[in-house]
Amino acid sequence: MGTVRASRQSVSPHGTAAAREAVHHRIRAYEDLARKEAVALRNWEATSFPPLARLLDERGWLKVLTWESCIDAIADNDKQAGAEIRSFYERCLSFSSIERMDRAAE
């Protein structure tokens, strides 16, 4: 079974949506770096990935594990570590939100 890690905000009822977004963003990173593999990966995303994602979803082999649920599990076992990680994660989310707002303003 595959697992996609995402924030609760970005999780849809189907794990494939989060997986598609993760694949799309990873390929965009390759494109931003002008890596030659980007063209082939973008083609793979359009042609080969959708049937694979559907199969994984239909068979229940792809699940979404949120970062928040990971942090909750850590906090259940070690409250201090969980609190520190949650604080760090919340700061990361605030920067991510600022970055999204900056891109939207462009």
Side-chain angles (χ1 to χ4, degrees):
M1 172 173 38
T3 304
V4 175
R5 288 174 300 279
S7 69
R8 279 194 186 122
Q9 299 167 330
S10 65
V11 173
S12 73
H14 301 285
T16 54
R20 288 175 200 270
E21 184 177 341
V23 166
H24 184 78
H25 288 295
R26 178 61 57 139
I27 295 170
R28 180 176 293 160
Y30 276 68
E31 290 168 338
D32 290 347
L33 295 171
R35 291 186 57 169
K36 63 183 178 185
E37 305 98 317
V39 173
L41 288 169
R42 192 58 78 196
N43 184 50
W44 173 85
E45 177 190 25
T47 59
S48 299
F49 184 64
L52 172 63
R54 270 192 305 279
L55 179 66
L56 293 172
D57 191 39
E58 288 168 4
R59 297 199 177 167
W61 292 344
L62 183 65
K63 302 293 181 193
V64 175
L65 176 64
T66 67
W67 287 114
E68 293 88 349
S69 65
C70 293
I71 295 168
D72 290 344
I74 292 168
D76 287 346
N77 290 299
D78 185 332
K79 292 196 184 308
Q80 182 178 352
E84 290 173 11
I85 294 169
R86 186 174 313 283
S87 175
F88 173 76
Y89 177 69
E90 288 172 0
R91 284 193 311 255
C92 291
L93 286 178
S94 72
F95 285 107
S96 178
S97 297
I98 291 168
E99 182 181 321
R100 273 188 252 122
M101 287 186 289
D102 288 347
R103 275 191 256 138
E106 292 176 350

